[in-house]
Amino acid sequence: MIRKANELESQTKEGLRGGAGSAELKFYIGADDAARHCSMAAQITLAPKSGIGEHDHVEDAELYVILSGKAMANDNGEQVELAAGDAMWTSNSERHALYNHTDEPTILLAVVVK
């Protein structure tokens, strides 16, 4: 399967996972084409002062890779600033959240695997 950038399904979600503000998701892999080991692969753009609320990964795992901008990550209660090129992996009942504390959009790749 090939997905061209201009053909990606796009959604804007307010309060993603209980987070602040809005996030735009562009799905490389979505619910309709989820594979056995991957349930989502999406580019997420967090508007300034927006974020993804704290949540856990019990039966799956999630990788965030910051593509541009900066964001504050909550990694099991530890606050760390992430910048372009940084990654965060969450699995084994761990919890995480991400908040764009800047005045510029933050773009990340999010991949959820089973």
Side-chain angles (χ1 to χ4, degrees), residues 25 27-31 34-35 38-42 44 62 64 110-113:
L25 291 84
F27 293 95
Y28 298 107
I29 296 173
C38 181
S39 58
M40 185 195 76
I44 300 175
E62 187 167 30
Y64 289 159
V111 179
V112 177
V113 295

Side-chain angles (χ1 to χ4, degrees), residues 11-52:
Q11 294 179 2
T12 299
K13 295 190 176 185
E14 296 295 326
L16 184 59
R17 296 265 191 179
S22 66
E24 179 187 12
L25 291 84
K26 292 184 179 180
F27 293 95
Y28 298 107
I29 296 173
D32 292 342
D33 20 60
R36 184 173 151 203
H37 297 291
C38 181
S39 58
M40 185 195 76
Q43 176 181 298
I44 300 175
T45 301
L46 295 176
K49 311 302 184 214
S50 297
I52 301 168

Side-chain angles (χ1 to χ4, degrees), residues 11-108:
Q11 294 179 2
T12 299
K13 295 190 176 185
E14 296 295 326
L16 184 59
R17 296 265 191 179
S22 66
E24 179 187 12
L25 291 84
K26 292 184 179 180
F27 293 95
Y28 298 107
I29 296 173
D32 292 342
D33 20 60
R36 184 173 151 203
H37 297 291
C38 181
S39 58
M40 185 195 76
Q43 176 181 298
I44 300 175
T45 301
L46 295 176
K49 311 302 184 214
S50 297
I52 301 168
E54 186 174 342
H55 60 282
D56 61 16
H57 287 276
V58 177
E59 296 183 15
D60 61 10
E62 187 167 30
L63 171 68
Y64 289 159
V65 179
I66 305 299
L67 301 176
S68 66
K70 295 181 180 179
M72 288 302 297
N74 176 339
D75 184 29
N76 292 303
E78 180 182 357
Q79 301 294 317
V80 178
E81 185 178 60
L82 300 180
D86 294 341
M88 179 169 58
W89 174 255
T90 306
S91 64
N92 300 320
S93 298
E94 296 172 328
R95 299 184 65 75
H96 69 158
L98 198 64
Y99 181 72
N100 176 4
H101 61 294
T102 74
D103 293 326
E104 300 294 326
T106 298
I107 301 174
L108 63 133

Side-chain angles (χ1 to χ4, degrees), residues 1-16:
M1 170 178 61
I2 294 174
R3 289 278 164 83
K4 295 287 201 169
N6 63 345
E7 299 171 349
L8 297 178
E9 176 191 346
S10 180
Q11 294 179 2
T12 299
K13 295 190 176 185
E14 296 295 326
L16 184 59

